[in-house]
Amino acid sequence: MSSLGVAVRGVLRDGVEAYRDSPQATAWLRQHLARFEEPLRVAIAGKVKAGKSTLLNALVGEEIAPTDAGECTRVVTWYQDGPSPKVIMIPREGRPRPLTVARRDGALTIDLGGTPAERVDRLVVDWPSQSLRATSLIDTPGIASMSADTSARAGAFLVPEDAPAPADAVLYLMRHLHVSDVRFLESFHDQGVAKAAPVNTVAILSRADEIGVGRLDAMASARQIAGRYRRDDKLRSLCQTVVAVAGLLAQSGRTMRQAEFTALSALAKAEASDTEPLLLSADRFVRASETAPLDPETRAALLDRFGLFGVRLGITLIRRGTDDPGALSAELVKRSGLDELRTVLTTQFTERRDLLKSRSALLALELVLAREPIPASVPLAREVERITAGAHEFTELRLLTALRTRVVTLPKDVRAEAERLLGGDGGTPAARLGLDPSADPAQLREAALAALGGWQRRAESPLSDRSQVGTARTLVRTCEGLLASLPR
C-alpha cells in the first residue's frame, strides 16, 4: 500500500477509536476502512439504451447483466467475484433475501419475485469470474429515463448529496456528446477531495459502430470522433479520457458460440450475389429470401447478437482467412475497442486504486467530524487537513484538474508534458515519462533526469509568473519521486 493509503487508514482507525461511543459513526468509518481491502468499484452510467449492461457483459466475458427492459434494469446492481453464483436482493425496508439464479439461452436472468423495483435498494450478484477479482462492476439505471423514479435512483447513487460516492470510479457511456451528457458530467464533477472529478471518470463513445451506420470503417470514424472529444477543453475538464467501444460486438466476440461461427461461415462461403443484398440494411438481412444461405430466424438471431456491423465484419474476416472460432472471437474483440478500454481501466483506475479509495475515505471522515463534533474531532480534523494538503498525490491531482480546467495555464509546448507527468495518461513511470511500457530503468532514469532539469529551469526562470513557478515546483517534486522509485 502507498504511504498515502497507510496515512489514511491510520487516521480512519483514530476516528473509529474517537467515536467508539457512536455506533453509527464507527460503522460508517469501519465500512470505509474495509473498502481498502475490496476490489476497485467501477460504476457504469449513462442514459437509457446507451449500452451499459452490454458493456458490462463484455468486460466480464459472460452474459450476466440483463440487457432487456425488465424490472431489474431499473435497479442498481453490483457484480462481484464470488465462489458460486448467487443473487441477493437488498430492499429499502426489511431483510436481504436471495433470489433464484437462472440462465436462459446462456444469459443470466434475474426475477425480483414480484417486488416492485422502487422498493429495492440494490441487487448484489456474486459470480465466479477472473475479471471481477480486481474490479467490482456496478450497473446503474438509465439517466434521463422516462421514469422519474428510475432516473432519480441513478442520480442518487452516482451523486449522493451528503456522502462519498459508493463507486471509486465511473465509466460514463454516451452515443454522442449531447448537452444532457455535459450537464450530467458537470453535476457529477465536484472539487471536493473525494467526490467525482476528471481523474475517476472515463467517457465512452458507446455503440461506436453505429456512428458509421455499420460500415466496415465505422470504428475508424468513431475513434476519430473520440479523439476530437479528447481534445475538447470542456470535456477534458470533466473526464479523464474518451474511448470508442462497440459494446455489442465486444460482448458477442467474448461470448461467441460455435453455432454462430458456423452461421457466419455459411454466409461467408455463399455466393456474393446472394449475401451482398442482405448486408445492405438490417431490414433486408432478416427478410425472407429463397437464395439466402440461412433461414430468416437464424439471420435474425445473428443480427440480435452481433448487429449489422458485427455480421459484416465477421463475414469479411472469415473470407480473409480467419477460419477458427477462437481467432475470430479474438479479432472481433480487438476491433471492438474493448482492449483499449481495458488498458484505460488499468492505467487510469487500477494504478490509482489507493488514491481513489483514500479520497472517499477522507470525505467520509470529514462528514462524521461535521455531523458529530466532539473534543477529539479537532485533532482529527487537523490530521485530515495535513494529509489532504501534504500528500503529493493530492497536490498532483489538484494541479492536473487546474490545468485541464484552465485555472492554471502553461505555454502550449509544455502543457501536454505537465499533464502527462502528473499522471494524465497513467500512473506508471513509463506512462508519466511518455516512454514505451517496456522501457528499461536506464531509459526511465535518463528521461526523468531530463524532465527534472527542464522543470527546475522553469521554476527558477525570471520569465515564469507565480502560478507557473508553483506548477514547476510541483513537477520537480514529481520528477524527484519518479527518480527515487526507480531501481539503481
Side-chain angles (χ1 to χ4, degrees):
M1 181 169 288
S2 68
S3 58
L4 172 62
V6 171
V8 173
R9 288 180 66 160
V11 75
L12 278 178
R13 291 194 187 98
D14 292 342
V16 170
E17 176 63 23
Y19 283 90
R20 60 185 177 275
D21 295 328
S22 172
Q24 184 176 8
T26 54
W28 177 248
L29 295 176
R30 288 184 188 279
Q31 175 186 333
H32 282 271
L33 261 174
R35 279 181 69 167
F36 277 97
E37 309 302 327
E38 296 176 1
L40 197 70
R41 301 175 178 179
V42 177
I44 301 178
K47 292 194 292 188
V48 176
K49 296 296 183 182
K52 299 182 295 296
S53 300
T54 300
L55 180 65
L56 189 149
N57 289 336
L59 288 168
V60 176
E62 293 188 72
E63 293 181 79
I64 61 173
T67 56
D68 57 9
E71 281 283 285
C72 56
T73 60
R74 297 169 52 200
V75 177
V76 174
T77 305
W78 297 57
Y79 294 88
Q80 59 192 30
D81 181 48
S84 60
K86 181 174 63 175
V87 181
I88 301 295
M89 181 180 71
I90 302 177
R92 294 185 181 277
E93 297 179 0
R95 298 169 63 88
R97 64 183 178 88
L99 298 179
T100 302
V101 178
R103 303 197 79 167
R104 185 168 57 244
D105 296 328
L108 179 69
T109 62
I110 300 176
D111 185 356
L112 298 183
T115 304
E118 56 269 15
R119 294 185 184 177
V120 179
D121 180 67
R122 66 187 183 276
L123 299 174
V124 179
V125 178
D126 284 4
W127 198 264
S129 171
Q130 180 72 33
S131 301
L132 292 173
R133 287 177 188 169
T135 305
S136 295
L137 298 173
I138 307 169
D139 197 4
T140 64
I143 297 161
S145 168
M146 293 183 67
S147 167
D149 178 73
T150 299
S151 185
R153 192 179 296 120
F157 175 82
L158 293 164
V159 197
E161 294 182 2
D162 56 355
D168 299 309
V170 176
L171 301 178
Y172 184 79
L173 276 60
M174 55 189 185
R175 298 175 74 168
H176 57 84
L177 185 58
H178 189 271
V179 64
S180 61
D181 297 310
V182 173
R183 193 178 302 121
F184 176 77
L185 287 170
E186 286 176 334
S187 70
F188 192 42
H189 176 67
D190 190 282
Q191 295 296 334
V193 70
K195 287 204 173 183
V199 73
N200 66 338
T201 306
V202 166
I204 298 177
L205 198 59
S206 63
R207 305 178 71 155
D209 52 302
E210 295 180 3
I211 290 175
V213 201
R215 297 192 315 267
L216 287 176
D217 63 348
M219 288 303 298
S221 300
R223 290 188 181 99
Q224 289 178 353
I225 294 173
R228 288 206 301 269
Y229 286 161
R230 283 194 293 271
R231 295 187 293 272
D232 182 88
D233 288 343
K234 179 66 174 177
L235 200 55
R236 282 173 60 82
S237 70
L238 298 174
C239 66
Q240 184 72 2
T241 189
V242 183
V243 182
V245 180
L248 183 61
L249 181 64
Q251 173 187 275
S252 301
R254 292 205 70 189
T255 62
M256 191 174 68
R257 303 150 192 163
Q258 178 64 44
E260 292 168 341
F261 174 78
T262 301
L264 289 171
S265 297
L267 289 169
K269 294 172 183 177
E271 293 293 332
S273 58
D274 292 333
T275 57
E276 296 307 320
L278 296 176
L279 298 173
L280 292 175
S281 69
D283 180 61
R284 289 194 182 197
F285 187 72
V286 298
R287 191 182 301 167
S289 170
E290 293 182 0
T291 58
L294 300 174
D295 60 81
E297 291 76 16
T298 301
R299 281 181 270 132
L302 279 179
L303 188 67
D304 182 59
R305 283 270 293 154
F306 292 84
L308 193 59
F309 171 72
V311 172
R312 287 170 173 164
L313 181 59
I315 291 172
T316 301
L317 291 172
I318 292 171
R319 284 174 175 170
R320 292 176 180 175
T322 309
D323 55 0
D324 175 77
L328 180 62
S329 173
E331 191 64 27
L332 293 177
V333 171
K334 178 181 176 181
R335 305 274 185 125
S336 72
L338 185 66
D339 290 344
E340 181 182 355
L341 176 59
R342 284 168 167 167
T343 301
V344 168
L345 287 175
T346 299
T347 59
Q348 307 298 352
F349 292 161
T350 306
E351 292 171 3
R352 288 191 170 99
R353 182 180 183 278
D354 272 8
L355 174 61
L356 297 173
K357 289 184 178 291
S358 295
R359 295 166 74 212
S360 296
L362 289 178
L363 183 55
L365 181 54
E366 286 179 342
L367 288 170
V368 170
L369 299 177
R371 289 173 178 173
E372 299 185 34
I374 58 174
S377 64
V378 175
L380 283 171
R382 290 198 188 110
E383 181 63 8
V384 169
E385 185 177 355
R386 184 193 69 78
I387 293 173
T388 304
H392 188 61
E393 295 93 330
F394 285 136
T395 303
E396 288 183 329
L397 178 60
R398 287 191 292 269
L399 180 54
L400 179 61
T401 302
L403 286 169
R404 290 189 161 180
T405 56
R406 298 295 190 267
V407 172
V408 172
T409 59
L410 284 175
K412 189 175 181 180
D413 60 326
V414 295
R415 191 179 77 194
E417 180 191 357
E419 291 186 11
R420 190 185 67 243
L421 281 170
L422 292 169
D425 296 334
T428 64
R432 288 175 180 255
L433 294 167
L435 298 178
D436 188 87
S438 61
D440 60 42
Q443 293 173 307
L444 293 171
R445 181 170 293 278
E446 181 181 357
L449 285 170
L452 174 62
W455 289 104
Q456 283 177 331
R457 289 190 294 273
R458 190 169 291 276
E460 297 164 1
S461 172
L463 299 178
S464 299
D465 60 31
R466 182 178 299 179
S467 70
Q468 291 177 358
V469 168
T471 297
R473 286 174 177 169
T474 296
L475 288 161
V476 164
R477 185 176 173 188
T478 293
C479 294
E480 290 172 342
L482 288 172
L483 284 167
S485 71
L486 297 175
R488 294 185 177 277

